[in-house]
Amino acid sequence: MSTMASRILACLLFAVAIATVDCNLEGDVLYSWKTQLLDPNSVLPSWDPTLVNPCTWFHVTCNSNNSITRVDLGNAGLSGPLIPELGLLANLQYLEVFGNNISGTIPAELGNLTKLVSLDLYHNKLSGPIPTSLGNLGSLSFMRLHGNKLTGTIPASVISLITTGRLRIL
């Protein structure tokens, strides 16, 4: 093989390696979350970080660019926390984690999910305040948080989503 062909091959391999790392960021986020969850009903065995992307995982939906748009884990029997890294799922539109035993606080980083349409965290064991950062979710139509142990008042930024945003169910 010529030197020029070797360089081109090396550059292509490097580009593929970079693209693979980029594409797996979302998978890494979900896998990191999986490692912190107890899954007594074995709903997450397909969440395998060695796969090309998480779009083949059960309970995950992606768009045509293989970016996660939906996580459906309602009534799955899961225990553990929500993790701040979930805020890195830039194209997430639906986070459906209702009816589990999710505990801890709602991470402020969920306020980075500006494409979120539905945030369903009801009937869990979440505690602490509702983060004011959730007021950043201008695309949000549904925010269901009832059936938790949340404290404090609903932040004004979240209430303003009703008057200035699309929020219809709070």
mmCIF file with all atom_site columns, all heavy atoms in Angstrom, residues 100-128:
data_model
loop_
_atom_site.group_PDB
_atom_site.id
_atom_site.type_symbol
_atom_site.label_atom_id
_atom_site.label_alt_id
_atom_site.label_comp_id
_atom_site.label_asym_id
_atom_site.label_entity_id
_atom_site.label_seq_id
_atom_site.pdbx_PDB_ins_code
_atom_site.Cartn_x
_atom_site.Cartn_y
_atom_site.Cartn_z
_atom_site.occupancy
_atom_site.B_iso_or_equiv
_atom_site.pdbx_formal_charge
_atom_site.auth_seq_id
_atom_site.auth_comp_id
_atom_site.auth_asym_id
_atom_site.auth_atom_id
_atom_site.pdbx_PDB_model_num
ATOM 1   N N   . ASN A 1 100 ? -42.736 4.241  39.145 1.00 0.00 ? 100 ASN A N   1
ATOM 2   C CA  . ASN A 1 100 ? -41.573 3.453  39.561 1.00 0.00 ? 100 ASN A CA  1
ATOM 3   C C   . ASN A 1 100 ? -41.251 3.776  41.016 1.00 0.00 ? 100 ASN A C   1
ATOM 4   O O   . ASN A 1 100 ? -42.107 4.263  41.753 1.00 0.00 ? 100 ASN A O   1
ATOM 5   C CB  . ASN A 1 100 ? -40.386 3.766  38.647 1.00 0.00 ? 100 ASN A CB  1
ATOM 6   C CG  . ASN A 1 100 ? -40.540 3.167  37.273 1.00 0.00 ? 100 ASN A CG  1
ATOM 7   O OD1 . ASN A 1 100 ? -40.413 1.969  37.094 1.00 0.00 ? 100 ASN A OD1 1
ATOM 8   N ND2 . ASN A 1 100 ? -40.819 4.005  36.280 1.00 0.00 ? 100 ASN A ND2 1
ATOM 9   N N   . ASN A 1 101 ? -40.044 3.515  41.410 1.00 0.00 ? 101 ASN A N   1
ATOM 10  C CA  . ASN A 1 101 ? -39.557 3.872  42.746 1.00 0.00 ? 101 ASN A CA  1
ATOM 11  C C   . ASN A 1 101 ? -38.343 4.784  42.625 1.00 0.00 ? 101 ASN A C   1
ATOM 12  O O   . ASN A 1 101 ? -37.381 4.660  43.374 1.00 0.00 ? 101 ASN A O   1
ATOM 13  C CB  . ASN A 1 101 ? -39.186 2.605  43.528 1.00 0.00 ? 101 ASN A CB  1
ATOM 14  C CG  . ASN A 1 101 ? -40.410 1.786  43.866 1.00 0.00 ? 101 ASN A CG  1
ATOM 15  O OD1 . ASN A 1 101 ? -41.329 2.272  44.510 1.00 0.00 ? 101 ASN A OD1 1
ATOM 16  N ND2 . ASN A 1 101 ? -40.436 0.544  43.415 1.00 0.00 ? 101 ASN A ND2 1
ATOM 17  N N   . ILE A 1 102 ? -38.395 5.699  41.648 1.00 0.00 ? 102 ILE A N   1
ATOM 18  C CA  . ILE A 1 102 ? -37.289 6.634  41.424 1.00 0.00 ? 102 ILE A CA  1
ATOM 19  C C   . ILE A 1 102 ? -37.236 7.589  42.612 1.00 0.00 ? 102 ILE A C   1
ATOM 20  O O   . ILE A 1 102 ? -38.253 8.152  43.013 1.00 0.00 ? 102 ILE A O   1
ATOM 21  C CB  . ILE A 1 102 ? -37.483 7.393  40.094 1.00 0.00 ? 102 ILE A CB  1
ATOM 22  C CG1 . ILE A 1 102 ? -37.569 6.419  38.919 1.00 0.00 ? 102 ILE A CG1 1
ATOM 23  C CG2 . ILE A 1 102 ? -36.375 8.408  39.874 1.00 0.00 ? 102 ILE A CG2 1
ATOM 24  C CD1 . ILE A 1 102 ? -36.340 5.570  38.681 1.00 0.00 ? 102 ILE A CD1 1
ATOM 25  N N   . SER A 1 103 ? -36.038 7.747  43.158 1.00 0.00 ? 103 SER A N   1
ATOM 26  C CA  . SER A 1 103 ? -35.883 8.560  44.370 1.00 0.00 ? 103 SER A CA  1
ATOM 27  C C   . SER A 1 103 ? -34.819 9.637  44.153 1.00 0.00 ? 103 SER A C   1
ATOM 28  O O   . SER A 1 103 ? -34.193 9.704  43.109 1.00 0.00 ? 103 SER A O   1
ATOM 29  C CB  . SER A 1 103 ? -35.505 7.660  45.544 1.00 0.00 ? 103 SER A CB  1
ATOM 30  O OG  . SER A 1 103 ? -34.298 6.969  45.254 1.00 0.00 ? 103 SER A OG  1
ATOM 31  N N   . GLY A 1 104 ? -34.640 10.453 45.187 1.00 0.00 ? 104 GLY A N   1
ATOM 32  C CA  . GLY A 1 104 ? -33.701 11.569 45.090 1.00 0.00 ? 104 GLY A CA  1
ATOM 33  C C   . GLY A 1 104 ? -34.424 12.801 44.578 1.00 0.00 ? 104 GLY A C   1
ATOM 34  O O   . GLY A 1 104 ? -35.654 12.879 44.612 1.00 0.00 ? 104 GLY A O   1
ATOM 35  N N   . THR A 1 105 ? -33.652 13.751 44.089 1.00 0.00 ? 105 THR A N   1
ATOM 36  C CA  . THR A 1 105 ? -34.222 15.007 43.622 1.00 0.00 ? 105 THR A CA  1
ATOM 37  C C   . THR A 1 105 ? -34.337 15.010 42.098 1.00 0.00 ? 105 THR A C   1
ATOM 38  O O   . THR A 1 105 ? -33.735 14.180 41.420 1.00 0.00 ? 105 THR A O   1
ATOM 39  C CB  . THR A 1 105 ? -33.344 16.201 44.061 1.00 0.00 ? 105 THR A CB  1
ATOM 40  O OG1 . THR A 1 105 ? -32.027 16.024 43.508 1.00 0.00 ? 105 THR A OG1 1
ATOM 41  C CG2 . THR A 1 105 ? -33.253 16.298 45.579 1.00 0.00 ? 105 THR A CG2 1
ATOM 42  N N   . ILE A 1 106 ? -35.107 15.962 41.598 1.00 0.00 ? 106 ILE A N   1
ATOM 43  C CA  . ILE A 1 106 ? -35.184 16.176 40.149 1.00 0.00 ? 106 ILE A CA  1
ATOM 44  C C   . ILE A 1 106 ? -33.964 17.014 39.784 1.00 0.00 ? 106 ILE A C   1
ATOM 45  O O   . ILE A 1 106 ? -33.816 18.134 40.280 1.00 0.00 ? 106 ILE A O   1
ATOM 46  C CB  . ILE A 1 106 ? -36.480 16.910 39.761 1.00 0.00 ? 106 ILE A CB  1
ATOM 47  C CG1 . ILE A 1 106 ? -37.705 16.100 40.171 1.00 0.00 ? 106 ILE A CG1 1
ATOM 48  C CG2 . ILE A 1 106 ? -36.485 17.226 38.268 1.00 0.00 ? 106 ILE A CG2 1
ATOM 49  C CD1 . ILE A 1 106 ? -39.030 16.840 40.000 1.00 0.00 ? 106 ILE A CD1 1
ATOM 50  N N   . PRO A 1 107 ? -33.078 16.511 38.928 1.00 0.00 ? 107 PRO A N   1
ATOM 51  C CA  . PRO A 1 107 ? -31.879 17.275 38.584 1.00 0.00 ? 107 PRO A CA  1
ATOM 52  C C   . PRO A 1 107 ? -32.217 18.573 37.851 1.00 0.00 ? 107 PRO A C   1
ATOM 53  O O   . PRO A 1 107 ? -33.054 18.581 36.942 1.00 0.00 ? 107 PRO A O   1
ATOM 54  C CB  . PRO A 1 107 ? -31.089 16.342 37.654 1.00 0.00 ? 107 PRO A CB  1
ATOM 55  C CG  . PRO A 1 107 ? -31.666 14.988 37.859 1.00 0.00 ? 107 PRO A CG  1
ATOM 56  C CD  . PRO A 1 107 ? -33.091 15.201 38.287 1.00 0.00 ? 107 PRO A CD  1
ATOM 57  N N   . ALA A 1 108 ? -31.564 19.657 38.246 1.00 0.00 ? 108 ALA A N   1
ATOM 58  C CA  . ALA A 1 108 ? -31.757 20.949 37.580 1.00 0.00 ? 108 ALA A CA  1
ATOM 59  C C   . ALA A 1 108 ? -31.403 20.856 36.102 1.00 0.00 ? 108 ALA A C   1
ATOM 60  O O   . ALA A 1 108 ? -31.971 21.576 35.270 1.00 0.00 ? 108 ALA A O   1
ATOM 61  C CB  . ALA A 1 108 ? -30.906 22.018 38.263 1.00 0.00 ? 108 ALA A CB  1
ATOM 62  N N   . GLU A 1 109 ? -30.518 19.936 35.746 1.00 0.00 ? 109 GLU A N   1
ATOM 63  C CA  . GLU A 1 109 ? -30.068 19.784 34.360 1.00 0.00 ? 109 GLU A CA  1
ATOM 64  C C   . GLU A 1 109 ? -31.185 19.355 33.410 1.00 0.00 ? 109 GLU A C   1
ATOM 65  O O   . GLU A 1 109 ? -31.063 19.516 32.198 1.00 0.00 ? 109 GLU A O   1
ATOM 66  C CB  . GLU A 1 109 ? -28.912 18.779 34.287 1.00 0.00 ? 109 GLU A CB  1
ATOM 67  C CG  . GLU A 1 109 ? -27.623 19.262 34.884 1.00 0.00 ? 109 GLU A CG  1
ATOM 68  C CD  . GLU A 1 109 ? -27.552 19.157 36.422 1.00 0.00 ? 109 GLU A CD  1
ATOM 69  O OE1 . GLU A 1 109 ? -28.545 18.704 37.051 1.00 0.00 ? 109 GLU A OE1 1
ATOM 70  O OE2 . GLU A 1 109 ? -26.513 19.520 36.983 1.00 0.00 ? 109 GLU A OE2 1
ATOM 71  N N   . LEU A 1 110 ? -32.291 18.840 33.947 1.00 0.00 ? 110 LEU A N   1
ATOM 72  C CA  . LEU A 1 110 ? -33.426 18.511 33.078 1.00 0.00 ? 110 LEU A CA  1
ATOM 73  C C   . LEU A 1 110 ? -33.970 19.779 32.415 1.00 0.00 ? 110 LEU A C   1
ATOM 74  O O   . LEU A 1 110 ? -34.625 19.712 31.383 1.00 0.00 ? 110 LEU A O   1
ATOM 75  C CB  . LEU A 1 110 ? -34.529 17.792 33.851 1.00 0.00 ? 110 LEU A CB  1
ATOM 76  C CG  . LEU A 1 110 ? -34.199 16.387 34.380 1.00 0.00 ? 110 LEU A CG  1
ATOM 77  C CD1 . LEU A 1 110 ? -35.446 15.738 34.955 1.00 0.00 ? 110 LEU A CD1 1
ATOM 78  C CD2 . LEU A 1 110 ? -33.563 15.507 33.326 1.00 0.00 ? 110 LEU A CD2 1
ATOM 79  N N   . GLY A 1 111 ? -33.660 20.926 32.970 1.00 0.00 ? 111 GLY A N   1
ATOM 80  C CA  . GLY A 1 111 ? -34.038 22.202 32.365 1.00 0.00 ? 111 GLY A CA  1
ATOM 81  C C   . GLY A 1 111 ? -33.316 22.479 31.060 1.00 0.00 ? 111 GLY A C   1
ATOM 82  O O   . GLY A 1 111 ? -33.674 23.419 30.346 1.00 0.00 ? 111 GLY A O   1
ATOM 83  N N   . ASN A 1 112 ? -32.301 21.672 30.718 1.00 0.00 ? 112 ASN A N   1
ATOM 84  C CA  . ASN A 1 112 ? -31.592 21.809 29.436 1.00 0.00 ? 112 ASN A CA  1
ATOM 85  C C   . ASN A 1 112 ? -32.331 21.115 28.304 1.00 0.00 ? 112 ASN A C   1
ATOM 86  O O   . ASN A 1 112 ? -31.946 21.263 27.139 1.00 0.00 ? 112 ASN A O   1
ATOM 87  C CB  . ASN A 1 112 ? -30.177 21.216 29.533 1.00 0.00 ? 112 ASN A CB  1
ATOM 88  C CG  . ASN A 1 112 ? -29.311 21.955 30.523 1.00 0.00 ? 112 ASN A CG  1
ATOM 89  O OD1 . ASN A 1 112 ? -29.502 23.132 30.761 1.00 0.00 ? 112 ASN A OD1 1
ATOM 90  N ND2 . ASN A 1 112 ? -28.366 21.243 31.107 1.00 0.00 ? 112 ASN A ND2 1
ATOM 91  N N   . LEU A 1 113 ? -33.354 20.335 28.605 1.00 0.00 ? 113 LEU A N   1
ATOM 92  C CA  . LEU A 1 113 ? -34.064 19.536 27.603 1.00 0.00 ? 113 LEU A CA  1
ATOM 93  C C   . LEU A 1 113 ? -35.133 20.389 26.911 1.00 0.00 ? 113 LEU A C   1
ATOM 94  O O   . LEU A 1 113 ? -36.325 20.151 27.044 1.00 0.00 ? 113 LEU A O   1
ATOM 95  C CB  . LEU A 1 113 ? -34.677 18.299 28.259 1.00 0.00 ? 113 LEU A CB  1
ATOM 96  C CG  . LEU A 1 113 ? -33.680 17.376 28.962 1.00 0.00 ? 113 LEU A CG  1
ATOM 97  C CD1 . LEU A 1 113 ? -34.404 16.260 29.707 1.00 0.00 ? 113 LEU A CD1 1
ATOM 98  C CD2 . LEU A 1 113 ? -32.683 16.806 27.954 1.00 0.00 ? 113 LEU A CD2 1
ATOM 99  N N   . THR A 1 114 ? -34.686 21.366 26.149 1.00 0.00 ? 114 THR A N   1
ATOM 100 C CA  . THR A 1 114 ? -35.592 22.380 25.597 1.00 0.00 ? 114 THR A CA  1
ATOM 101 C C   . THR A 1 114 ? -36.562 21.843 24.547 1.00 0.00 ? 114 THR A C   1
ATOM 102 O O   . THR A 1 114 ? -37.506 22.542 24.181 1.00 0.00 ? 114 THR A O   1
ATOM 103 C CB  . THR A 1 114 ? -34.792 23.550 25.000 1.00 0.00 ? 114 THR A CB  1
ATOM 104 O OG1 . THR A 1 114 ? -33.895 23.044 24.012 1.00 0.00 ? 114 THR A OG1 1
ATOM 105 C CG2 . THR A 1 114 ? -34.000 24.271 26.102 1.00 0.00 ? 114 THR A CG2 1
ATOM 106 N N   . LYS A 1 115 ? -36.365 20.625 24.056 1.00 0.00 ? 115 LYS A N   1
ATOM 107 C CA  . LYS A 1 115 ? -37.305 20.038 23.097 1.00 0.00 ? 115 LYS A CA  1
ATOM 108 C C   . LYS A 1 115 ? -38.331 19.132 23.778 1.00 0.00 ? 115 LYS A C   1
ATOM 109 O O   . LYS A 1 115 ? -39.196 18.567 23.124 1.00 0.00 ? 115 LYS A O   1
ATOM 110 C CB  . LYS A 1 115 ? -36.542 19.263 22.022 1.00 0.00 ? 115 LYS A CB  1
ATOM 111 C CG  . LYS A 1 115 ? -35.678 20.170 21.166 1.00 0.00 ? 115 LYS A CG  1
ATOM 112 C CD  . LYS A 1 115 ? -35.000 19.431 20.061 1.00 0.00 ? 115 LYS A CD  1
ATOM 113 C CE  . LYS A 1 115 ? -34.154 20.397 19.244 1.00 0.00 ? 115 LYS A CE  1
ATOM 114 N NZ  . LYS A 1 115 ? -33.423 19.726 18.190 1.00 0.00 ? 115 LYS A NZ  1
ATOM 115 N N   . LEU A 1 116 ? -38.240 19.040 25.098 1.00 0.00 ? 116 LEU A N   1
ATOM 116 C CA  . LEU A 1 116 ? -39.127 18.157 25.845 1.00 0.00 ? 116 LEU A CA  1
ATOM 117 C C   . LEU A 1 116 ? -40.577 18.602 25.715 1.00 0.00 ? 116 LEU A C   1
ATOM 118 O O   . LEU A 1 116 ? -40.905 19.769 25.927 1.00 0.00 ? 116 LEU A O   1
ATOM 119 C CB  . LEU A 1 116 ? -38.697 18.146 27.317 1.00 0.00 ? 116 LEU A CB  1
ATOM 120 C CG  . LEU A 1 116 ? -39.024 16.911 28.137 1.00 0.00 ? 116 LEU A CG  1
ATOM 121 C CD1 . LEU A 1 116 ? -38.342 15.672 27.553 1.00 0.00 ? 116 LEU A CD1 1
ATOM 122 C CD2 . LEU A 1 116 ? -38.577 17.107 29.568 1.00 0.00 ? 116 LEU A CD2 1
ATOM 123 N N   . VAL A 1 117 ? -41.445 17.660 25.359 1.00 0.00 ? 117 VAL A N   1
ATOM 124 C CA  . VAL A 1 117 ? -42.884 17.894 25.227 1.00 0.00 ? 117 VAL A CA  1
ATOM 125 C C   . VAL A 1 117 ? -43.617 17.315 26.439 1.00 0.00 ? 117 VAL A C   1
ATOM 126 O O   . VAL A 1 117 ? -44.602 17.873 26.897 1.00 0.00 ? 117 VAL A O   1
ATOM 127 C CB  . VAL A 1 117 ? -43.411 17.240 23.921 1.00 0.00 ? 117 VAL A CB  1
ATOM 128 C CG1 . VAL A 1 117 ? -44.928 17.287 23.853 1.00 0.00 ? 117 VAL A CG1 1
ATOM 129 C CG2 . VAL A 1 117 ? -42.792 17.899 22.708 1.00 0.00 ? 117 VAL A CG2 1
ATOM 130 N N   . SER A 1 118 ? -43.095 16.200 26.971 1.00 0.00 ? 118 SER A N   1
ATOM 131 C CA  . SER A 1 118 ? -43.759 15.522 28.083 1.00 0.00 ? 118 SER A CA  1
ATOM 132 C C   . SER A 1 118 ? -42.731 15.074 29.112 1.00 0.00 ? 118 SER A C   1
ATOM 133 O O   . SER A 1 118 ? -41.773 14.381 28.769 1.00 0.00 ? 118 SER A O   1
ATOM 134 C CB  . SER A 1 118 ? -44.542 14.325 27.553 1.00 0.00 ? 118 SER A CB  1
ATOM 135 O OG  . SER A 1 118 ? -45.175 13.644 28.615 1.00 0.00 ? 118 SER A OG  1
ATOM 136 N N   . LEU A 1 119 ? -42.933 15.483 30.347 1.00 0.00 ? 119 LEU A N   1
ATOM 137 C CA  . LEU A 1 119 ? -42.107 15.070 31.475 1.00 0.00 ? 119 LEU A CA  1
ATOM 138 C C   . LEU A 1 119 ? -43.037 14.395 32.476 1.00 0.00 ? 119 LEU A C   1
ATOM 139 O O   . LEU A 1 119 ? -43.780 15.054 33.193 1.00 0.00 ? 119 LEU A O   1
ATOM 140 C CB  . LEU A 1 119 ? -41.410 16.280 32.104 1.00 0.00 ? 119 LEU A CB  1
ATOM 141 C CG  . LEU A 1 119 ? -40.546 16.013 33.330 1.00 0.00 ? 119 LEU A CG  1
ATOM 142 C CD1 . LEU A 1 119 ? -39.382 15.090 32.988 1.00 0.00 ? 119 LEU A CD1 1
ATOM 143 C CD2 . LEU A 1 119 ? -40.022 17.324 33.911 1.00 0.00 ? 119 LEU A CD2 1
ATOM 144 N N   . ASP A 1 120 ? -43.013 13.079 32.486 1.00 0.00 ? 120 ASP A N   1
ATOM 145 C CA  . ASP A 1 120 ? -43.899 12.307 33.358 1.00 0.00 ? 120 ASP A CA  1
ATOM 146 C C   . ASP A 1 120 ? -43.080 11.567 34.408 1.00 0.00 ? 120 ASP A C   1
ATOM 147 O O   . ASP A 1 120 ? -42.511 10.510 34.145 1.00 0.00 ? 120 ASP A O   1
ATOM 148 C CB  . ASP A 1 120 ? -44.735 11.320 32.540 1.00 0.00 ? 120 ASP A CB  1
ATOM 149 C CG  . ASP A 1 120 ? -45.909 11.993 31.862 1.00 0.00 ? 120 ASP A CG  1
ATOM 150 O OD1 . ASP A 1 120 ? -46.440 12.969 32.422 1.00 0.00 ? 120 ASP A OD1 1
ATOM 151 O OD2 . ASP A 1 120 ? -46.302 11.549 30.775 1.00 0.00 ? 120 ASP A OD2 1
ATOM 152 N N   . LEU A 1 121 ? -43.034 12.161 35.601 1.00 0.00 ? 121 LEU A N   1
ATOM 153 C CA  . LEU A 1 121 ? -42.281 11.590 36.721 1.00 0.00 ? 121 LEU A CA  1
ATOM 154 C C   . LEU A 1 121 ? -43.210 11.237 37.882 1.00 0.00 ? 121 LEU A C   1
ATOM 155 O O   . LEU A 1 121 ? -42.746 10.985 38.991 1.00 0.00 ? 121 LEU A O   1
ATOM 156 C CB  . LEU A 1 121 ? -41.225 12.598 37.200 1.00 0.00 ? 121 LEU A CB  1
ATOM 157 C CG  . LEU A 1 121 ? -40.235 13.099 36.153 1.00 0.00 ? 121 LEU A CG  1
ATOM 158 C CD1 . LEU A 1 121 ? -39.312 14.153 36.748 1.00 0.00 ? 121 LEU A CD1 1
ATOM 159 C CD2 . LEU A 1 121 ? -39.435 11.945 35.585 1.00 0.00 ? 121 LEU A CD2 1
ATOM 160 N N   . TYR A 1 122 ? -44.501 11.197 37.633 1.00 0.00 ? 122 TYR A N   1
ATOM 161 C CA  . TYR A 1 122 ? -45.469 10.986 38.710 1.00 0.00 ? 122 TYR A CA  1
ATOM 162 C C   . TYR A 1 122 ? -45.393 9.572  39.288 1.00 0.00 ? 122 TYR A C   1
ATOM 163 O O   . TYR A 1 122 ? -44.880 8.654  38.662 1.00 0.00 ? 122 TYR A O   1
ATOM 164 C CB  . TYR A 1 122 ? -46.890 11.327 38.247 1.00 0.00 ? 122 TYR A CB  1
ATOM 165 C CG  . TYR A 1 122 ? -47.447 10.498 37.115 1.00 0.00 ? 122 TYR A CG  1
ATOM 166 C CD1 . TYR A 1 122 ? -48.195 9.358  37.369 1.00 0.00 ? 122 TYR A CD1 1
ATOM 167 C CD2 . TYR A 1 122 ? -47.258 10.885 35.796 1.00 0.00 ? 122 TYR A CD2 1
ATOM 168 C CE1 . TYR A 1 122 ? -48.733 8.610  36.333 1.00 0.00 ? 122 TYR A CE1 1
ATOM 169 C CE2 . TYR A 1 122 ? -47.788 10.146 34.751 1.00 0.00 ? 122 TYR A CE2 1
ATOM 170 C CZ  . TYR A 1 122 ? -48.522 9.007  35.026 1.00 0.00 ? 122 TYR A CZ  1
ATOM 171 O OH  . TYR A 1 122 ? -49.052 8.269  33.986 1.00 0.00 ? 122 TYR A OH  1
ATOM 172 N N   . HIS A 1 123 ? -45.891 9.461  40.516 1.00 0.00 ? 123 HIS A N   1
ATOM 173 C CA  . HIS A 1 123 ? -45.926 8.207  41.277 1.00 0.00 ? 123 HIS A CA  1
ATOM 174 C C   . HIS A 1 123 ? -44.545 7.552  41.385 1.00 0.00 ? 123 HIS A C   1
ATOM 175 O O   . HIS A 1 123 ? -44.334 6.412  40.979 1.00 0.00 ? 123 HIS A O   1
ATOM 176 C CB  . HIS A 1 123 ? -46.963 7.223  40.712 1.00 0.00 ? 123 HIS A CB  1
ATOM 177 C CG  . HIS A 1 123 ? -48.367 7.691  40.880 1.00 0.00 ? 123 HIS A CG  1
ATOM 178 N ND1 . HIS A 1 123 ? -48.941 7.902  42.108 1.00 0.00 ? 123 HIS A ND1 1
ATOM 179 C CD2 . HIS A 1 123 ? -49.314 8.017  39.967 1.00 0.00 ? 123 HIS A CD2 1
ATOM 180 C CE1 . HIS A 1 123 ? -50.171 8.329  41.951 1.00 0.00 ? 123 HIS A CE1 1
ATOM 181 N NE2 . HIS A 1 123 ? -50.420 8.420  40.661 1.00 0.00 ? 123 HIS A NE2 1
ATOM 182 N N   . ASN A 1 124 ? -43.617 8.312  41.948 1.00 0.00 ? 124 ASN A N   1
ATOM 183 C CA  . ASN A 1 124 ? -42.284 7.831  42.289 1.00 0.00 ? 124 ASN A CA  1
ATOM 184 C C   . ASN A 1 124 ? -42.012 8.224  43.729 1.00 0.00 ? 124 ASN A C   1
ATOM 185 O O   . ASN A 1 124 ? -42.942 8.455  44.503 1.00 0.00 ? 124 ASN A O   1
ATOM 186 C CB  . ASN A 1 124 ? -41.244 8.423  41.325 1.00 0.00 ? 124 ASN A CB  1
ATOM 187 C CG  . ASN A 1 124 ? -41.178 7.670  40.018 1.00 0.00 ? 124 ASN A CG  1
ATOM 188 O OD1 . ASN A 1 124 ? -40.733 6.540  39.974 1.00 0.00 ? 124 ASN A OD1 1
ATOM 189 N ND2 . ASN A 1 124 ? -41.632 8.302  38.935 1.00 0.00 ? 124 ASN A ND2 1
ATOM 190 N N   . LYS A 1 125 ? -40.759 8.299  44.094 1.00 0.00 ? 125 LYS A N   1
ATOM 191 C CA  . LYS A 1 125 ? -40.371 8.694  45.450 1.00 0.00 ? 125 LYS A CA  1
ATOM 192 C C   . LYS A 1 125 ? -39.424 9.889  45.397 1.00 0.00 ? 125 LYS A C   1
ATOM 193 O O   . LYS A 1 125 ? -38.506 10.004 46.212 1.00 0.00 ? 125 LYS A O   1
ATOM 194 C CB  . LYS A 1 125 ? -39.724 7.512  46.163 1.00 0.00 ? 125 LYS A CB  1
ATOM 195 C CG  . LYS A 1 125 ? -40.696 6.364  46.386 1.00 0.00 ? 125 LYS A CG  1
ATOM 196 C CD  . LYS A 1 125 ? -40.070 5.206  47.107 1.00 0.00 ? 125 LYS A CD  1
ATOM 197 C CE  . LYS A 1 125 ? -41.109 4.112  47.313 1.00 0.00 ? 125 LYS A CE  1
ATOM 198 N NZ  . LYS A 1 125 ? -40.548 2.936  47.965 1.00 0.00 ? 125 LYS A NZ  1
ATOM 199 N N   . LEU A 1 126 ? -39.651 10.781 44.439 1.00 0.00 ? 126 LEU A N   1
ATOM 200 C CA  . LEU A 1 126 ? -38.809 11.963 44.305 1.00 0.00 ? 126 LEU A CA  1
ATOM 201 C C   . LEU A 1 126 ? -39.078 12.922 45.458 1.00 0.00 ? 126 LEU A C   1
ATOM 202 O O   . LEU A 1 126 ? -40.204 13.018 45.943 1.00 0.00 ? 126 LEU A O   1
ATOM 203 C CB  . LEU A 1 126 ? -39.076 12.648 42.960 1.00 0.00 ? 126 LEU A CB  1
ATOM 204 C CG  . LEU A 1 126 ? -38.653 11.833 41.740 1.00 0.00 ? 126 LEU A CG  1
ATOM 205 C CD1 . LEU A 1 126 ? -39.273 12.403 40.477 1.00 0.00 ? 126 LEU A CD1 1
ATOM 206 C CD2 . LEU A 1 126 ? -37.139 11.783 41.638 1.00 0.00 ? 126 LEU A CD2 1
ATOM 207 N N   . SER A 1 127 ? -38.039 13.628 45.873 1.00 0.00 ? 127 SER A N   1
ATOM 208 C CA  . SER A 1 127 ? -38.167 14.558 46.999 1.00 0.00 ? 127 SER A CA  1
ATOM 209 C C   . SER A 1 127 ? -37.445 15.861 46.657 1.00 0.00 ? 127 SER A C   1
ATOM 210 O O   . SER A 1 127 ? -36.781 15.966 45.635 1.00 0.00 ? 127 SER A O   1
ATOM 211 C CB  . SER A 1 127 ? -37.575 13.931 48.259 1.00 0.00 ? 127 SER A CB  1
ATOM 212 O OG  . SER A 1 127 ? -36.205 13.620 48.051 1.00 0.00 ? 127 SER A OG  1
ATOM 213 N N   . GLY A 1 128 ? -37.603 16.832 47.539 1.00 0.00 ? 128 GLY A N   1
ATOM 214 C CA  . GLY A 1 128 ? -36.966 18.127 47.330 1.00 0.00 ? 128 GLY A CA  1
ATOM 215 C C   . GLY A 1 128 ? -37.822 19.035 46.475 1.00 0.00 ? 128 GLY A C   1
ATOM 216 O O   . GLY A 1 128 ? -38.957 18.704 46.116 1.00 0.00 ? 128 GLY A O   1
#
